[in-house]
Amino acid sequence: MPMPSKLQDYLDRNHVSYGHTVHRPTFTARQLARAEHLPENGVAKTVVFVGDRDYGLAVLPADCAADLEELGGLLGLSHLRLATEPELSALFSDSEPGAEPPFGNLYGLPVYVDDILCSEELIAFNAGTHRDAVQMRCRDFVRLVQPEIVSFSCFE
């Protein structure tokens, strides 16, 4: 499965400068950082969650853990859990489970980015497969996705 055309077309249509690389399969954001020879704080991991009513994406640096209780409190949710693999497959039919790109806007999902990640000039992330990665300016990502920027992570 290649990088989703939905993502590539969106980046190209918006005239965003980005790099696309292919590497050995990785299954965590930290592994992606090592494979791409990048610092972990500049690699975004996408966490898909289910709240009281809907799904959403939490995007944070690879060297941080998502505090789901904190995020749920910020969003006014009484319940928050990680999405299951079947849910991921249904939501992101063009991506491999666990390699979802952080562009929830392309899938009708809200995106919440941890403020720590926004301090990075460049970010890299899975591009729909465990082998494809995209690197782009964080400010371009924020402009295109228009996420809510909040604080919900802690260093691992």
Side-chain angles (χ1 to χ4, degrees), residues 84-123:
T84 64
E85 214 169 285
E87 289 171 324
L88 294 176
S89 295
L91 291 167
F92 298 89
S93 60
D94 59 352
S95 297
E96 296 173 354
E100 299 80 17
F103 283 75
N105 56 314
L106 298 179
Y107 301 89
L109 301 173
V111 179
Y112 305 92
V113 174
D114 190 82
D115 59 352
I116 295 172
L117 187 63
C118 292
S119 66
E120 298 300 318
E121 182 176 340
L122 295 173
I123 60 168

Side-chain angles (χ1 to χ4, degrees), residues 45 47 49 53 55-61 70-77 102-105 109-119 138 141-153:
K45 63 178 158 185
V47 177
F49 65 86
R53 303 161 299 279
Y55 294 91
L57 302 185
V59 182
L60 62 156
E70 177 74 18
L71 181 59
L74 289 168
L75 301 179
L77 302 173
F103 283 75
N105 56 314
L109 301 173
V111 179
Y112 305 92
V113 174
D114 190 82
D115 59 352
I116 295 172
L117 187 63
C118 292
S119 66
C138 189
F141 169 76
V142 169
R143 179 176 57 83
L144 293 179
V145 176
Q146 297 185 1
E148 187 171 335
I149 299 171
V150 292
S151 180
F152 61 87
S153 74

Side-chain angles (χ1 to χ4, degrees), residues 9 14 78 129 132:
D9 293 346
N14 283 282
S78 60
T129 78
D132 290 271

Side-chain angles (χ1 to χ4, degrees), residues 29-30 40-41 43 45-47 58-71 82 114-116 150-156:
R30 285 184 161 177
E40 291 179 353
N41 60 329
V43 173
K45 63 178 158 185
T46 303
V47 177
V59 182
L60 62 156
D63 60 349
C64 292
D67 184 336
L68 295 180
E69 188 174 318
E70 177 74 18
L71 181 59
L82 298 177
D114 190 82
D115 59 352
I116 295 172
V150 292
S151 180
F152 61 87
S153 74
C154 54
F155 290 102
E156 293 185 308

